Amino acid sequence: DQFSSAFLTLKLAELLLLIQRNGQLVNSTTQEGRDNTIDKVLKYIETNFNQSITLEDIAEIANLSPAYFSRKFKKETGITFKDYLNFIRNKRACQALITTDDSVTKIAADCGFSSSNYFKDIFRKMNGVSPREYRKRMAENSSVKRR
């Protein structure tokens, strides 16, 4: 159900992150004449979130050292590289939990998490409930709204 509260909540979080990210990137570019390296990296992460991505891989794409890239990423986005990657993966996992019947383990793998246990820990930290509980609650919410 594309109008479920969970879907709208995810879209709102995505919009707020996009607004924050673009506002900071515009400011840093116009004020200090910086290139769009971080913007390029953000787009790469959003399209390749389901792959194994390390800080070293991304720093190489940005043509920066991992330490410098990490500092620059945090300064321009307000969050760490790892937190951003987990946010994107979590967002995709939430969508999959709502829209598919795939197992939690399959969703974890499809979203790029190295193990289902790590996925469950990150998911609980970001959403306050386990993936199974999230799916159950979203199913209950959508069935209540349809009545």
Side-chain angles (χ1 to χ4, degrees):
D1 181 16
Q2 67 178 348
F3 298 107
S4 72
S5 62
F7 185 77
L8 292 173
T9 301
L10 285 172
K11 286 299 182 183
L12 178 61
E14 182 179 17
L15 177 63
L16 291 173
L17 184 63
L18 187 64
I19 289 169
Q20 177 188 15
R21 185 179 74 208
N22 286 337
Q24 289 179 348
L25 288 173
V26 167
N27 289 340
S28 66
T29 301
T30 56
Q31 289 177 359
E32 300 178 32
R34 291 189 186 139
D35 61 71
N36 288 323
T37 303
I38 299 299
D39 194 32
K40 176 182 162 186
V41 166
L42 294 173
K43 288 176 185 173
Y44 179 86
I45 292 169
E46 289 186 33
T47 57
N48 296 287
F49 68 91
N50 57 343
Q51 315 264 326
S52 174
I53 301 174
T54 65
L55 176 63
E56 290 74 18
D57 296 334
I58 295 296
E60 188 174 320
I61 289 169
N63 202 24
L64 301 169
S65 73
Y68 180 70
F69 168 78
S70 185
R71 285 191 307 273
K72 184 173 181 170
F73 189 92
K74 170 103 183 195
K75 181 180 179 187
E76 294 197 23
T77 64
I79 60 175
T80 66
F81 159 74
K82 187 174 181 179
D83 287 344
Y84 182 77
L85 179 59
N86 283 334
F87 171 81
I88 296 298
R89 288 175 171 171
N90 179 66
K91 179 179 71 166
R92 303 297 176 153
C94 287
Q95 290 172 339
L97 287 166
I98 293 169
T99 60
T100 71
D101 291 329
D102 293 345
S103 71
V104 171
T105 302
K106 180 174 180 351
I107 290 171
D110 289 348
C111 291
F113 287 96
S114 56
S115 77
S116 60
N117 286 335
Y118 179 66
F119 165 65
K120 291 171 190 173
D121 291 343
I122 293 297
F123 193 92
R124 183 178 296 277
K125 181 180 175 186
M126 294 182 130
N127 300 294
V129 294
S130 70
R132 280 187 174 71
E133 181 65 23
Y134 180 86
R135 177 180 267 167
K136 181 180 170 188
R137 287 183 183 181
M138 293 305 110
E140 290 170 357
N141 285 345
S142 66
S143 66
V144 168
K145 288 181 181 183
R146 289 183 202 158
R147 292 181 186 170

